[in-house]
Amino acid sequence: MVETLQDNVRWLIGAVARGLGARHGEGVADVLDRLAQQDLDTARFAAPEPRALPVLAHLPHCLGEAMLLDADLAAAIASVEESLQWRQSACYSDALLGEGFTANYGWAEIIGPNGFFPGDDFLLGLLMLGPERHYRDHFHPAPELYWPLTTASHWSVDSGPFVEKQQGATIWHAPMAMHATITRDMPLLAVWSWTRDTATPARLRVT
Ligand SMILES: [Fe+2]
């Protein structure tokens, strides 16, 4: 049987749900509840225009690491990688975030207006950061979960100290909480979700 893109997207969504279902961190149940409420009927499926970004140069390395955490999920991501629409927040620039940031940053929606199913005020996607990046303090009304599939990323909430999170940890950001991410020598690939209040984009803290 030839697998269609929709089959692979459903495999990916299922792999995320199974992986998160085995975790118990703050916000995980919220994401799974909201995911279960989404209309994933075949009639709602529409593939976005695929778009690549320079940060994808790090995807093979990240998928290699992710294989060691959750081989099924890593394979499911690989099965749709040619079909994802990688995007960047419109107001982000190297001037604001450091030389080379925009060549080392991107996100793609799986569920959301730029994903494969539109979602109901709910976003599920992937985020990538290249090595040696500082995605500095930003905030948004949406509650947010990150699930790093790669090793050793560093996270700050409410402008507190950066804490190293291991591969497979989950990180929850309450609405409007200031948060930031640092990578060192390894790139980051993370599953990410906004569970509600998705209409307002992230804003960088004014410095
Ligand atoms: Fe965020």
Side-chain angles (χ1 to χ4, degrees):
M1 177 185 133
V2 175
E3 269 156 8
T4 66
L5 176 58
Q6 186 176 167
D7 292 331
N8 287 336
V9 170
R10 291 185 186 281
W11 172 25
L12 174 55
I13 294 169
V16 169
R18 285 189 292 277
L20 285 178
R23 289 175 162 74
H24 305 286
E26 186 180 12
V28 168
D30 296 34
V31 171
L32 292 172
D33 283 352
R34 289 290 289 132
L35 177 56
Q37 294 165 9
Q38 303 306 306
D39 182 357
L40 304 183
D41 191 89
T42 293
R44 308 287 280 163
F45 181 86
E49 178 90 12
R51 187 188 304 157
L53 286 176
V55 69
L56 291 176
H58 300 289
L59 186 58
H61 177 96
C62 289
L63 287 177
E65 279 201 316
M67 284 287 289
L68 303 175
L69 175 75
D70 187 329
D72 186 58
L73 177 56
I77 294 170
S79 78
V80 304
E81 71 172 269
E82 304 285 319
S83 303
L84 293 164
Q85 185 180 99
W86 287 90
R87 304 175 65 86
Q88 298 189 332
S89 299
C91 61
Y92 289 5
S93 66
D94 285 7
L96 286 170
L97 285 144
E99 186 64 37
F101 186 87
T102 53
N104 284 277
Y105 154 78
W107 44 267
E109 294 173 9
I110 302 163
I111 298 174
N114 306 293
F116 301 97
F117 294 97
D120 174 21
D121 196 23
F122 174 83
L123 301 176
L124 177 70
L126 301 169
L127 170 102
M128 287 194 67
L129 275 183
E132 308 294 344
R133 295 297 140 189
H134 183 172
Y135 183 2
R136 66 175 178 80
D137 267 347
H138 59 286
F139 61 97
H140 39 74
E144 174 180 67
L145 185 84
Y146 274 109
W147 180 28
L149 306 180
T150 48
T151 54
S153 48
H154 302 256
W155 302 75
S156 162
V157 181
D158 296 329
S159 302
F162 281 86
V163 175
E164 181 172 339
K165 296 290 185 179
Q166 297 304 316
Q167 183 181 35
T170 57
I171 299 130
W172 179 247
H173 298 136
M176 303 306 280
M178 200 68 77
H179 52 279
T181 309
I182 285 177
T183 55
R184 300 264 163 84
D185 53 346
M186 294 293 182
L188 169 67
L189 170 67
V191 171
W192 132 91
S193 179
W194 280 12
T195 59
R196 58 181 167 80
D197 296 329
T198 60
T200 305
R203 288 173 52 194
L204 293 170
R205 184 170 74 159
V206 177
T207 54

